[in-house]
Amino acid sequence: MMKVFAYRNIKSEIMKSSSGGAFIRICQEFEMLHGKGNVAFYGASMLEDMSVRHLGVYGAEQCHIFQGAKYVRSDFSQCIGDIEKDLRAGKWVLVSGTPCQIYGIKKYIQKKQLDSKLFTIDLLCHGTAKNQVWKDYIAWLEKNNKAKLMRFCFRYKPEGWKAYPGYAEFDSHKKLINTPETSVFSKLHLSAYSIEKGCFQCPFASEERNGDITLGDYWGIEYIDTTIRNYKDGVSLILCNSEVARILILRIGEKCRENHDFLIETKSREFIKYQDNFQRPTEMPKQYEEFWKDYEKKEFEDILIKYIGWGRKYKVLYNIKKIARKTMIIELYRRLKRGN
C-alpha cells in the first residue's frame, strides 16, 4: 500500500532544490544503506551548452548536479548502457526521471534480469517541453540581452517556492532574477503549449506508479497539515510505492532529530486534489494545433505576443503579481479562492 509523506530538508539544501530537498536526502540515505562505493546515481543535469542529459555519478555528494527542476526532455539514451554495466558489476543503482523514462529503463533492465539492485524515482510530471522551444527561448534571451546564456534556473528558490521564478545569467555577468523575461518559458510550459503532444495521453499520470518512490511538490500542505508552519521555501511530497522505498524513508525519519530535517506521514488522501497529474494527464490547450502551425512560420516573439500576451501589459502585470507575492495579499486571495 502506498505511503505518503511530507518532507523538508535543512535550509541550505532546500534553497538548492525545487521543493523540499527530498531527492538529495534520499540519495544520501541510499548510499548509507548500501555503502559508499557500492552505489551509482543517475539523473537529469543541465550541461554547459544548456542541453539536458541524464548522467551518472558514484557518490551522493555529487548528486547536487541533479538538483532543481528541468522542464525539458532529458536525453536518457546515453546512460542506458552505463546503468546496465553498473548493475552487472554488482552496484546498487538509483535512477530518477519522468514516469515514461522510469518505465522504459525498468522494462529494459527486467528483460536483462538485472533489476534486483535497481531503485527508481519517478516524478509527478506536467509534461516535458519540446527541445526546440527551449533552444528558441535561449536564442531569444541571448538576442535581447546581447550576451551568451551561461546559467538558467527554472525555479530560483531565493525568490520563492510557488511562482516558478526564473534566473538567467549571461557571459556579460548580467543577471535576470524573477523578471518577465525569465517567466516566458515557464508560462509556455504551464499553459501546455510547449509540451510534447504525447504527454496529453500519458498513461503514467495515475496512482499506478512505476518508481519505487514518486516525488513532487507538496502543493496544499499549508491546508492539509496546519502544524507545518515553515513551508514557504518548499515541502516535498514523497510517495512510497514499494516496501524497499518504505524502509528507506523510515530510515530517514529515524534520523530527523539528528539531521534537523523533518518527515511527517500524511494519513488522508486530501493531497490528491492538489496534484492534477496524479490522476490525469495535462489537458491539451484548445489552440495547441494552431500554436504549432504558427510556430513553424512565425518568429518566436510573435508566438509569445499571440499566445501568452507578451508585451507591456504582460510585464506590468507580472511585476504587480511579484510585489503581491511578497505580501499577505496573495495568500489571502488563495484562501478565499479555496473557501478557507
Side-chain angles (χ1 to χ4, degrees):
M1 182 178 178
M2 180 180 66
K3 294 284 188 180
V4 183
F5 297 89
Y7 176 79
R8 181 178 169 83
N9 209 325
I10 59 174
K11 181 83 170 182
S12 60
E13 293 296 349
I14 286 174
M15 299 311 286
K16 293 183 284 187
S17 305
S18 294
S19 53
F23 171 75
I24 196 72
R25 183 66 188 90
I26 290 168
C27 291
Q28 292 165 349
E29 194 61 36
F30 192 75
E31 185 175 71
M32 290 180 202
L33 178 62
H34 298 297
K36 191 171 180 64
N38 297 322
V39 179
F41 301 91
Y42 288 85
S45 179
M46 186 176 290
L47 307 185
E48 288 185 6
D49 64 359
M50 296 290 119
S51 64
V52 180
R53 184 186 304 167
H54 262 68
L55 302 176
V57 298
Y58 295 92
E61 72 280 359
Q62 297 173 283
C63 289
H64 65 87
I65 67 170
F66 306 138
Q67 285 179 281
K70 297 100 181 165
Y71 299 116
V72 186
R73 183 173 294 280
S74 172
D75 181 355
F76 197 89
S77 60
Q78 296 184 42
C79 72
I80 294 172
D82 292 332
I83 292 171
E84 181 181 351
K85 182 179 177 181
D86 285 332
L87 288 167
R88 289 193 183 279
K91 290 187 181 294
W92 292 85
V93 177
L94 183 153
V95 183
S96 64
T98 61
C100 53
Q101 289 173 330
I102 295 305
Y103 175 82
I105 192 63
K106 284 186 71 173
K107 284 295 182 184
Y108 178 81
I109 294 302
Q110 284 169 357
K111 285 182 180 179
K112 301 288 183 177
Q113 298 182 332
L114 293 169
D115 56 313
S116 63
K117 290 188 174 183
L118 178 68
F119 187 88
T120 56
I121 299 174
D122 69 28
L123 308 172
L124 286 169
C125 181
H126 176 74
T128 53
K130 293 187 179 183
N131 278 287
Q132 188 58 51
V133 180
W134 173 235
K135 291 176 183 177
D136 291 340
Y137 173 64
I138 292 171
W140 179 77
L141 275 180
E142 292 180 339
K143 179 181 176 181
N144 290 350
N145 292 277
K146 297 180 175 60
K148 182 177 175 58
L149 184 67
M150 302 299 290
R151 183 187 169 209
F152 190 87
C153 181
F154 294 93
R155 294 171 66 183
Y156 185 60
K157 192 59 78 62
E159 287 291 304
W161 175 33
K162 294 188 176 183
Y164 292 73
Y167 172 96
E169 185 175 337
F170 301 87
D171 63 359
S172 62
H173 303 295
K174 181 178 181 179
K175 297 177 183 179
L176 300 178
I177 301 174
N178 195 11
T179 68
E181 291 81 5
T182 63
S183 76
V184 164
F185 187 82
S186 290
K187 186 74 171 178
L188 288 172
H189 178 72
L190 293 172
S191 65
Y193 286 122
S194 65
I195 72 174
E196 301 275 0
K197 192 172 184 178
C199 295
F200 301 122
Q201 288 84 40
C202 178
F204 309 113
S206 72
E207 295 187 37
E208 297 297 320
R209 310 304 301 182
N210 286 301
D212 292 294
I213 284 177
T214 298
L215 289 181
D217 295 273
Y218 205 135
W219 303 127
I221 187 63
E222 64 269 39
Y223 311 114
I224 295 170
D225 192 336
T226 55
T227 64
I228 299 175
R229 300 294 182 187
N230 192 14
Y231 62 83
K232 292 187 178 180
D233 291 329
V235 178
S236 294
L237 175 68
I238 302 176
L239 309 178
C240 292
N241 309 313
S242 68
E243 181 61 18
V244 290
R246 190 186 70 83
I247 291 170
L248 185 67
I249 296 303
L250 290 180
R251 281 174 58 98
I252 291 173
E254 289 168 359
K255 299 174 183 178
C256 279
R257 182 171 293 183
E258 173 189 345
N259 293 329
H260 307 292
D261 51 357
F262 78 69
L263 180 78
I264 299 174
E265 185 174 357
T266 297
K267 298 293 186 179
S268 78
R269 289 173 57 84
E270 190 180 357
F271 75 95
I272 293 174
K273 71 181 183 181
Y274 300 95
Q275 299 289 345
D276 292 341
N277 295 116
F278 187 63
Q279 294 189 303
R280 65 188 70 86
T282 296
E283 185 177 348
M284 181 188 289
K286 291 180 180 179
Q287 292 181 289
Y288 184 82
E289 299 291 354
E290 182 182 346
F291 174 91
W292 283 104
K293 286 178 182 178
D294 284 342
Y295 202 91
E296 292 177 2
K297 56 189 178 183
K298 292 180 179 289
E299 295 294 325
F300 188 73
E301 185 152 330
D302 293 331
I303 294 293
L304 301 183
I305 291 168
K306 179 174 179 178
Y307 290 96
I308 67 170
W310 177 255
R312 184 178 178 182
K313 183 179 178 181
Y314 180 102
K315 296 174 186 178
V316 170
L317 289 175
Y318 186 88
N319 287 318
I320 290 172
K321 290 177 182 178
K322 180 178 174 180
I323 294 168
R325 289 188 186 99
K326 295 183 183 295
T327 70
M328 285 297 292
I329 295 173
I330 197 73
E331 189 62 34
L332 289 171
Y333 169 76
R334 287 180 180 136
R335 289 184 179 275
L336 286 171
K337 190 175 180 181
R338 296 190 183 279
N340 293 330

